[in-house]
Amino acid sequence: MNDLHAGSAPALRRLLDLLASGAATEDFTDVLADARRRGAPADVLGEIDDATWQALRVHRTLRQHRRREAELTALFDTAGDLAASRDLDSVLQAIVRRARMLLGTDTAYLTLPDEAAGDTYMRVTDGSVSVLFQTLRLSLGDGLGGLVAQSARPYATPDYRTDDRFHHTDVIDAGVVDEGLVAIIGVPLLLGGRVIGVLFAADRSPRAFSPDEVALLCTLAAHAAIALDTAKALADTRSALAELNSANELIRAHSAAVQRAERGHDRLTDLVLRGAEVPDVAAAVAALLGGGIAVLDTEGEPLAGRAAAPGAGPAEAAAASRAEGRAVRHGGAWVCAVLAGQEQLGTLVLRGRPDLDDADRRLFERAGVVTALLLLLRRSVAETENRVRGELLADLLTAPDRDPAGLTARGRRLGVDLGRPHLVLVAEPGRGGVGGGPAAVRSRLAGAAGRYLFGARGISAEHGEAVVLLVPDGGGAGAEAVGEGGEAVGAAGGCTAGGGAAGDVAQRAAEQAAERLARLAGFPVTVGAGRPASGPVALATAYAEGLRCVRALRVLGRDGEGASAGSLGFLGVLLGDGHDVSGFVGATLGPLLDYDARRGTELVRTLRAYFDCGGSLTRAKDELHVHVNTVVQRLDRVEVLLGQDWNGPERSLELQLALRLQLLSGA
């Protein structure tokens, strides 16, 4: 073994040097090729091959992180430009340049409306080489930009020349051809529900723009809108100071409000640059505006601050805010939708300030922009972490006994302690009301699982035909794993026939997951839960039990529900790995056993004799050596304790199985 490590050590050091220097991907494969040319043994080549694969994974992750860091740095720099009150031309030029850099396009540009001429014109360009293109003017509804300005929605095309969704004109097409543009994306600059400009990025070759790129460009457009709005506010202030000498007090009040808004914006920018979280921003805005701030997720659950009272949720006001693009009044509160482009990420609710002047209202709206930026960052980090953790989960379920110690160590490095008890939830799309192919549906379910675990220390991944969730159990009864919005993912209660409190934890977790995943995914979701387990092998066994529960629910016609083995009655005894016979007997015959113990009666013996005699009262009274009326009275008491369906086909089958198991176990 020492010879093996000694033989591969130079190659491993070279791989580390390549990682440290940020070398190209091709350089990593040269290491193995060099070892082969030197005639290294097969075992050494195998170790170098494994190390090269791991190094490439780390190299790819580092490259993704650098790209994310570049995006966030550019957004922070843009926020810093606004806070530093640079002139409008410089700020807009910086925003356009950063849009081009972050999206990696050949050019970027920004158009603004000319109210006097009734059209729009090129305000700022970056990377443009055509004078004809730089002097283009677009009428409302013409071209891609005209459609964006008219509809207030982002539009993208991989090839503008052949895209018939837009109204082509000779003038616009000539400018586009002269610039050589092919792929174009445009997003609106929104202020108060109206479009005040359009931000574009374009390539000179065909290209498809991803949703992340659309959201990023929308965020930059929001910064540009803020810059234009701030410039307009400052221009209005200067005009008021020059023209309204008789209204000095009013001007001072207005100026003070603008300054307060600028200080508030500086404060928010400083929080973002220092890596603050959503609760920090909410606390800062509450202090600046002198009210109470709550940040709600898309389902109305609190991310920070106090939630609304039941029945008083601001969902309608949030929809109005999203439509208008600014904060709206809701009773005695103010509501602002937190938007990233057209996607709503949450809602801000301000209480205790029934009246807001324009400056405070803009500060409240800017807080929504900053909150959207933080939520996008938080979601991006969570998605990246969940992808890496999902690889761990896939390895755990595929080959848990190949290297349990290695899996545990990998989990610890990713913040997942596999040595602690976890619940394994297996989720599959319901059979009814699901559109799209199996892969697309499963992908939607995987995305819903990621949002469900957002903020928790659980992980999820697609595995086979299902999505598997690994949720911390918290160490025993009474513990909860908290998912997105603070909702309990698993909670303990009373005992059921599947292992007592542990069975109840699994059952409640499965039910809650089925209900919430269905809301997030938009279609029914069936969830099976394995018993709490720790360690790779035990967790893989729990996964198998959860998968059997999902199959059982489908066979029983219970699509869209959640269950554990303990909640499936005698099926749980057959499907569960623990085969908790005493738990099943206790849950099925418990009321009769308790009654016999308290009263000294023989209800259990009577019920056994009744079933053994094929339901004949006459034969049962002979077996028990009592009068037939006594048998009838005892069975009436059984009905009171167990319910009227005790003698139905399914219930009687469970009762007879429990009676036989009681005899076999000697209970």
Side-chain angles (χ1 to χ4, degrees):
M1 181 59 71
N2 291 332
D3 293 341
L4 172 63
H5 292 312
S8 61
L12 298 180
R13 283 194 297 271
R14 184 177 173 190
L15 288 173
L16 290 175
D17 291 340
L18 292 174
L19 280 175
S21 63
T25 303
E26 297 78 9
D27 297 336
F28 289 83
T29 58
D30 292 342
V31 177
L32 182 61
D34 290 344
R36 285 198 179 99
R37 284 194 296 270
R38 291 196 306 270
D43 52 354
V44 173
L45 290 175
E47 183 174 7
I48 295 174
D49 187 33
D50 291 341
T52 301
W53 182 76
Q54 294 291 345
L56 287 172
R57 286 183 58 197
V58 174
H59 181 266
R60 183 170 62 254
T61 301
L62 290 174
R63 186 171 58 193
Q64 292 173 347
H65 287 178
R66 283 194 290 270
R67 180 173 61 83
R68 291 292 185 186
E69 182 180 3
E71 293 175 356
L72 293 174
T73 299
L75 292 177
F76 292 157
D77 288 345
T78 303
D81 292 341
L82 296 179
S85 298
R86 294 172 55 186
D87 64 281
L88 181 61
D89 287 340
S90 299
V91 173
L92 294 181
Q93 186 66 52
I95 289 173
V96 171
R97 186 180 302 112
R98 285 167 188 147
R100 178 189 175 197
M101 176 189 69
L102 290 176
L103 271 67
T105 55
D106 296 323
T107 183
Y109 48 98
L110 186 147
T111 62
L112 294 180
D114 186 339
E115 295 180 359
D119 59 8
T120 61
Y121 66 99
M122 291 286 181
R123 182 68 166 81
V124 181
T125 65
D126 188 74
S128 173
V129 296
S130 166
V131 176
L132 176 62
F133 181 77
Q134 295 168 8
T135 56
L136 272 181
R137 302 186 73 92
L138 291 77
S139 299
L140 188 64
D142 289 343
L144 185 148
L147 184 59
V148 172
Q150 185 179 51
S151 64
R153 295 176 57 190
Y155 278 92
T157 176
D159 192 338
Y160 176 80
R161 300 165 302 180
T162 60
D163 200 328
D164 57 4
R165 292 179 299 164
F166 314 110
H167 181 230
H168 291 262
T169 66
D170 293 339
V171 174
I172 297 175
D173 288 355
V176 171
V177 170
D178 193 54
E179 187 65 50
L181 300 183
V182 178
I184 305 176
I185 178 176
V187 299
L189 277 64
L190 295 172
L191 185 67
R194 62 189 181 91
V195 179
I196 62 171
V198 180
L199 179 61
F200 299 86
D203 253 333
R204 295 187 174 93
S205 58
R207 168 182 175 176
F209 294 95
S210 68
D212 286 343
E213 291 173 324
V214 176
L216 179 62
L217 196 61
C218 286
T219 302
L220 289 171
H223 281 294
I226 292 174
L228 291 167
D229 184 35
T230 302
K232 181 179 182 302
L234 292 174
D236 291 343
T237 301
R238 296 190 189 99
S239 176
L241 288 171
E243 297 176 5
L244 302 176
N245 293 327
S246 61
N248 287 331
E249 291 300 324
L250 179 61
I251 293 174
R252 289 193 188 98
H254 180 72
S255 177
V258 172
Q259 292 175 6
R260 187 169 67 255
E262 291 177 348
R263 287 195 300 271
H265 186 61
D266 291 344
R267 171 64 175 152
L268 294 178
T269 303
D270 181 63
L271 285 172
V272 172
L273 295 177
R274 288 193 292 106
E277 295 291 341
V278 172
D280 301 321
V281 172
V285 176
L288 289 168
L289 296 179
I293 289 283
V295 184
L296 310 179
D297 65 11
T298 53
E299 296 185 354
E301 297 293 336
L303 297 174
R306 180 173 55 86
E316 294 182 2
S321 172
R322 178 179 180 181
E324 297 180 18
R326 65 178 309 176
V328 298
R329 191 163 181 170
H330 177 65
W334 287 86
V335 175
C336 181
V338 178
L339 301 174
Q342 295 300 311
E343 180 184 5
Q344 183 170 347
L345 303 178
T347 306
L348 289 184
V349 181
L350 172 64
R351 299 184 181 86
R353 283 292 306 273
D355 297 315
L356 283 181
D357 57 31
D358 288 341
D360 283 348
R361 186 172 179 176
R362 282 196 296 271
L363 174 59
F364 183 48
E365 292 164 355
R366 288 189 180 107
V369 174
V370 173
T371 302
L373 178 62
L374 293 178
L375 290 176
L376 278 176
L377 173 61
R378 183 179 173 190
R379 185 170 70 181
S380 175
V381 171
E383 288 174 351
T384 301
E385 291 180 347
N386 201 52
R387 279 196 297 271
V388 178
R389 291 176 175 178
E391 295 173 359
L392 167 66
L393 184 57
D395 292 344
L396 172 68
L397 300 180
T398 303
D401 52 355
R402 183 171 59 193
D403 185 13
L407 290 171
T408 302
R410 282 174 58 190
R412 193 175 297 110
R413 289 194 297 270
L414 296 174
V416 180
D417 186 359
L418 298 179
R420 292 184 54 198
H422 284 74
L423 283 172
V424 182
L425 305 178
V426 182
E428 290 188 356
R431 292 176 178 171
V434 185
V441 172
R442 191 163 56 251
S443 178
R444 282 173 57 189
L445 180 55
R451 295 195 299 275
Y452 177 55
L453 295 176
F454 190 43
R457 299 190 66 82
I459 58 178
S460 63
E462 295 183 45
H463 189 71
E465 298 180 357
V467 174
V468 182
L469 297 84
L470 192 64
V471 183
D473 180 42
E480 295 182 342
V482 180
E484 178 185 6
E487 180 172 332
V489 177
C495 295
T496 65
D504 193 47
V505 169
Q507 174 61 21
R508 294 183 62 185
E511 291 174 348
Q512 291 172 356
E515 188 247 335
R516 187 166 171 81
L517 287 174
R519 293 205 310 267
L520 293 172
F523 51 74
V525 178
T526 307
V527 178
R531 63 186 62 239
S534 58
V537 176
L539 288 170
T541 302
Y543 158 74
E545 180 177 311
L547 187 60
R548 290 194 295 270
C549 289
V550 171
R551 300 292 187 264
L553 287 172
R554 290 207 159 167
V555 170
L556 295 173
R558 293 171 57 182
D559 261 354
E561 298 185 20
S564 64
S567 67
L568 294 175
F570 71 91
L571 281 179
V573 177
L574 301 175
L575 297 173
D577 287 300
H579 299 295
D580 185 13
V581 173
S582 61
F584 171 68
V585 171
T588 307
L589 300 177
L592 304 185
L593 293 170
D594 291 343
Y595 192 88
D596 284 348
R598 291 196 313 269
R599 304 291 183 90
T601 55
E602 294 185 330
L603 296 184
V604 172
R605 180 167 172 258
T606 301
L607 187 61
R608 183 181 294 112
Y610 175 75
F611 284 132
D612 288 345
C613 294
S616 170
L617 296 177
T618 304
R619 291 170 57 194
K621 62 99 173 173
D622 293 336
E623 177 75 19
L624 296 169
H625 304 292
V626 296
H627 194 276
V628 69
N629 289 341
T630 303
V631 177
V632 172
Q633 292 170 2
R634 290 178 181 178
L635 293 179
D636 287 342
R637 177 55 59 184
V638 169
E639 181 174 325
V640 171
L641 295 174
L642 299 183
Q644 295 181 355
D645 64 337
W646 71 272
N647 205 15
E650 293 185 8
R651 190 72 182 280
S652 65
L653 176 59
E654 284 197 3
L655 289 171
Q656 292 179 66
L657 180 58
L659 290 168
R660 293 302 178 100
L661 289 175
Q662 184 198 28
L663 286 178
L664 292 174
S665 64

